[in-house]
Amino acid sequence: MTALPRAATRMLLASDGSTTLLLESLLDQPLFVRVTRQRTVVAGDASERAVKALAVDPRTPVVHRSSELVTDDGEVVSLNTVVFARPPAGWSGSSDDSVPLGRRLRSNQTLQYRSLLSSGGGVWPGEGRGVPCAFKEYLIHCEDGSRLYVHERFHPSYVAAPTTLPAGAPAHSARFPGRRCDAA
């Protein structure tokens, strides 16, 4: 697979809409979720960024979900972390659901919006460790008041890593000053 053009990477990282929908459109194929681990932990055991974004007490129980967005052939397009205190209406939060979160919420007509927290260049943690990759982190706000923290790292074979930014630098800060939190 040839990585998407850098302009597509910038669009993907700056968008506050459905990442899965954009990826499926850009890659011209459906994507599915494969949950690799899901467990309940106290919020303090999740990343500090997730706890801050969710605005929960570190002692609050939260679900910490690790998943992969994959092609029909099982090729990994992204590695994802989702943290939430309770699932929103329209999504069970089940680790058995292979439908991507945003698509599931849309299919159940759950009103939502996303707040982009940061995006930019990082390091691919999966197979081929150490290779530069693109990442994005955001908060999904649902109509019932539930919030979900999402951190995505995109496989460099599918999404070109930003080359003009150092690892961890927010991709959108230069173009949209004042619209970001500090990078992860």
Side-chain angles (χ1 to χ4, degrees), residues 79 121-134 153-157 161-162 165-168:
L79 297 176
V123 178
W124 181 249
E127 186 178 323
R129 291 186 197 312
V131 176
C133 72
R153 290 184 191 262
F154 304 101
H155 195 294
S157 294
L165 298 167

Side-chain angles (χ1 to χ4, degrees), residues 46-116:
S47 76
E48 186 177 323
R49 302 245 336 131
V51 174
K52 182 178 176 183
L54 292 169
V56 294
D57 183 280
R59 297 168 295 199
T60 302
V62 296
V63 174
H64 187 279
R65 174 183 174 121
S66 299
S67 63
E68 302 169 335
L69 202 54
V70 297
T71 65
D72 265 335
D73 298 334
E75 292 188 38
V76 176
V77 175
S78 70
L79 297 176
N80 312 308
T81 299
V82 179
V83 180
F84 56 94
R86 64 181 171 87
W91 184 57
S92 68
S94 170
S95 61
D96 295 329
D97 190 354
S98 66
V99 176
L101 172 59
R103 190 182 321 140
R104 176 63 70 210
L105 293 174
R106 275 191 318 281
S107 71
N108 290 325
Q109 300 180 343
T110 301
L111 297 177
Q112 60 180 293
Y113 71 92
R114 294 154 195 246
S115 298
L116 187 60

